[in-house]
Amino acid sequence: MPQDCDELVPATTFTVYGRDFERVRTPRPASGSAVAQIAGQDGRVCTWRSTADEDVTVTVAVAHLPAAQITQLEDALFAQGGSVPTYTVEGYYSLRSGTGRADAFAGPYWIHTNSTLFTEPGTAQPVVDAVRHAVAPDATAPTGSPTP
């Protein structure tokens, strides 16, 4: 993945949350998590922490994957529900234990982000949009996709 964390999510992206964030230089994905799965695929993992409350973080993970693997992931998330048409590409959102999770598929890229700030699909959208723009600016949902 050629883009670094600051290219994937420019600092200005975080202004919508009304907080200042700093990058965590050595993110530690939880074993078995989507973030750990992406890290295991030689993807990029980035975490930012609120300067006012270190318990508030935003994590982004992106991997370039083969088409068959992307389709498998899309199908699994589609089966769980939570399709988000506003992500421009095929996207999904879920909220569990106070943490919002957004996944988007832009061409060969799996974009994953999570945060306690993401209380609904729209609160994750600025981050999803920033990453999508960085890795696949022309990507759209495929025709016939559940997410137009």
Side-chain angles (χ1 to χ4, degrees):
M1 173 125 295
Q3 296 89 351
D4 67 20
C5 294
D6 295 326
E7 291 172 310
L8 291 173
V9 185
T12 57
T13 305
F14 296 113
T15 60
V16 300
Y17 302 111
R19 298 170 183 249
D20 290 325
F21 284 84
E22 62 187 7
R23 221 171 96 227
V24 175
R25 297 294 172 184
T26 53
R28 293 185 183 92
S31 180
S33 69
V35 176
Q37 185 179 353
I38 288 171
Q41 296 284 337
D42 293 324
R44 173 84 61 214
V45 174
C46 310
T47 298
W48 292 266
R49 175 180 38 236
S50 167
T51 58
D53 181 352
E54 68 181 38
D55 291 334
V56 176
T57 60
V58 175
T59 296
V60 168
V62 185
H64 182 281
L65 301 174
Q69 195 171 1
I70 290 286
T71 300
Q72 185 179 35
L73 288 163
E74 289 171 334
D75 290 349
L77 287 167
F78 178 76
Q80 294 174 21
S83 178
V84 182
T86 60
Y87 287 171
T88 307
V89 295
E90 189 159 337
Y92 300 91
Y93 171 84
S94 63
L95 180 65
R96 289 191 179 83
S97 301
T99 298
R101 169 186 172 158
D103 294 277
F105 299 94
Y109 295 97
W110 175 19
I111 301 166
H112 169 87
T113 185
N114 65 67
S115 177
T116 55
L117 293 174
F118 302 159
T119 56
E120 62 164 341
T123 53
Q125 185 145 1
V127 174
V128 171
D129 286 348
V131 177
R132 181 189 49 77
H133 180 72
V135 298
D138 298 326
T140 59
T143 305
S145 168
T147 307

